[in-house]
Amino acid sequence: MSPTILVAGATGNTGRSTTETLSKLLQAPDSPLRNHRILALTRSANSPAAQHLATLPGVEVVQQNWIEVTPEWLQSHHVTRAFIASHNGPTQFADESTFHLALLHAGVEYVVRISTTAAFVRPGAIAYYQRAHWALEALLAAPEFKALHLTSLQPNIFGSFFLSPAAEFIKEYRKTGRADTMLKMMAAKDGAVGVIDADEVGVVAAHLILQEDTTVHNGRVYVLNGPEEISGEGIVRMVEKAIGVPVKNVRYKDLSAVDAYLEMEYKGSGNSRNVLWSVRRAAETAWDGQFTAPPTSKEVLELAAPRQTPQQMLESLLEQ
């Protein structure tokens, strides 16, 4: 069996682009890992995203929840390198640390993982998932994990999440011609954010995974921002340009979409509400400008510099 690159969460925000880019780059005659295959894990092999990935050269889609992966499973599939974009639920640390331990014990050479916005990866972060990312990076930096090479990517907030209310407002206006409905957005009126296209994060991950010498990037944490920043006021200007009339009602710092997601995802789950709703307070620290994301790492700019602007991200959302 050929050596394998494992993509855990292959149909997710960044996993799909990682898989697509790996497939493309591995076809190059000079690719140092050209003899590798790509094993894309998904919880539903029948989903449109999974079926699309299955058509790509060198990609095999397997219905397998990554949280159940064992060292024996990895060895049986000859996995040598891996990508992981974990969920951000309350069990994130336990699930992802177990996954990395399995990689270590299976003799996997290198893993690229997706973290969260750099400014919030710290032990005193308010949101539980931000502390989990800090704890995971601390764990993986321990001497016990030195045999497993690692790079952690810390992207800014994804444009698809940040701009989706604006896209939905524009779509509704084009249906009804009404601009007096409320445009609700998580963004503050002031304070620009370097939102990034999730696909471009996946491109960077794929380039890293295919590096012939992983020692250069081992133990490194890379920051990723989009090429342009955008504020809530800037989003309103983009919407007005798209519809051709002023937006009459705007609510900044709106977290109703976050509340709805938390209620839908975790209602009756038995998880602590105090833990889950800490996500809301994390947004407040961003609004207050307490933490500013550092610039994009030079290594990222050299590998595959992010190029999608907020305007381009909004246009992509309008096409969906």
Side-chain angles (χ1 to χ4, degrees):
M1 184 181 292
S2 301
T4 300
I5 298 170
L6 178 69
V7 181
T11 55
N13 286 328
T14 55
R16 177 182 52 78
S17 176
T18 301
T19 306
E20 292 171 340
T21 307
L22 285 170
S23 174
K24 179 181 178 180
L25 295 178
L26 281 174
Q27 303 312 304
D30 59 346
S31 172
L33 303 185
R34 199 169 190 276
N35 64 327
H36 285 57
R37 67 178 183 133
I38 303 162
L39 197 60
L41 299 192
T42 177
R43 287 180 296 176
S44 175
N46 294 322
S47 70
Q51 291 178 345
H52 160 68
L53 294 180
T55 67
L56 301 178
V59 175
E60 179 184 348
V61 174
V62 174
Q63 187 165 304
Q64 167 72 47
N65 194 331
W66 63 264
I67 67 174
E68 302 298 339
V69 164
T70 64
E72 294 76 20
W73 187 94
L74 292 163
Q75 290 172 335
S76 70
H77 289 84
H78 299 273
V79 175
T80 62
R81 300 190 179 193
F83 166 88
I84 173 69
S86 175
H87 65 77
N88 62 355
T91 61
Q92 178 190 353
F93 178 82
D95 291 336
E96 190 179 341
S97 62
T98 300
F99 177 79
H100 290 296
L101 198 64
L103 297 180
L104 176 68
H105 289 167
V108 174
E109 301 167 359
Y110 180 49
V111 60
V112 175
R113 66 176 298 273
I114 303 298
S115 182
T116 191
T117 308
F120 298 103
V121 182
R122 52 194 180 83
I126 292 176
Y128 68 88
Y129 74 91
Q130 296 167 334
R131 295 192 303 275
H133 280 297
W134 171 83
L136 283 160
E137 290 178 1
L139 174 84
L140 294 166
E144 290 87 344
F145 280 87
K146 66 180 180 180
L148 175 63
H149 285 192
L150 162 83
T151 304
S152 189
L153 300 181
Q154 297 180 339
N156 213 319
I157 188 169
F158 294 149
S160 56
F161 182 68
F162 204 67
L163 300 172
S164 58
E168 292 306 312
F169 185 92
I170 294 169
K171 290 178 181 179
E172 187 64 22
Y173 174 81
R174 289 174 176 174
K175 289 180 183 177
T176 66
R178 294 186 58 188
D180 57 348
T181 55
M182 181 73 71
L183 171 56
K184 302 175 182 179
M185 65 178 78
M186 184 176 65
K189 181 178 181 180
D190 304 311
V193 179
V195 294
I196 189 167
D197 187 331
D199 284 352
E200 294 193 307
V201 178
V203 170
V204 173
H207 276 83
L208 284 166
I209 290 169
L210 295 184
Q211 293 295 298
E212 186 171 14
D213 180 10
T214 61
T215 59
V216 177
H217 303 287
N218 180 33
R220 303 296 301 277
V221 175
Y222 294 147
V223 176
L224 297 89
N225 298 297
E228 293 180 10
E229 295 184 333
I230 188 78
S231 65
E233 192 171 31
I235 294 173
V236 173
R237 288 197 296 268
M238 287 200 301
V239 172
E240 291 177 337
K241 180 182 176 181
I243 65 177
V245 297
V247 176
K248 299 178 181 179
N249 299 307
V250 182
R251 180 184 295 163
Y252 299 105
K253 302 181 180 180
D254 181 82
L255 294 177
S256 57
V258 175
D259 291 341
Y261 168 78
L262 292 172
E263 288 286 2
M264 177 186 69
E265 189 74 10
Y266 296 108
K267 185 177 181 180
S269 66
N271 289 296
S272 165
R273 188 178 179 88
N274 188 36
V275 171
L276 292 171
W277 260 252
S278 64
V279 176
R280 302 182 92 265
R281 295 193 58 210
E284 294 170 7
T285 60
W287 295 332
D288 294 342
Q290 294 182 37
F291 303 99
T292 303
T296 300
S297 300
K298 65 179 181 62
E299 293 85 356
V300 171
L301 298 176
E302 292 168 356
L303 283 171
R307 301 187 184 282
Q308 288 289 306
T309 66
Q311 181 66 50
Q312 290 171 316
M313 295 181 215
L314 179 61
E315 290 170 0
S316 294
L317 289 170
L318 291 174
E319 292 173 356
Q320 296 175 8

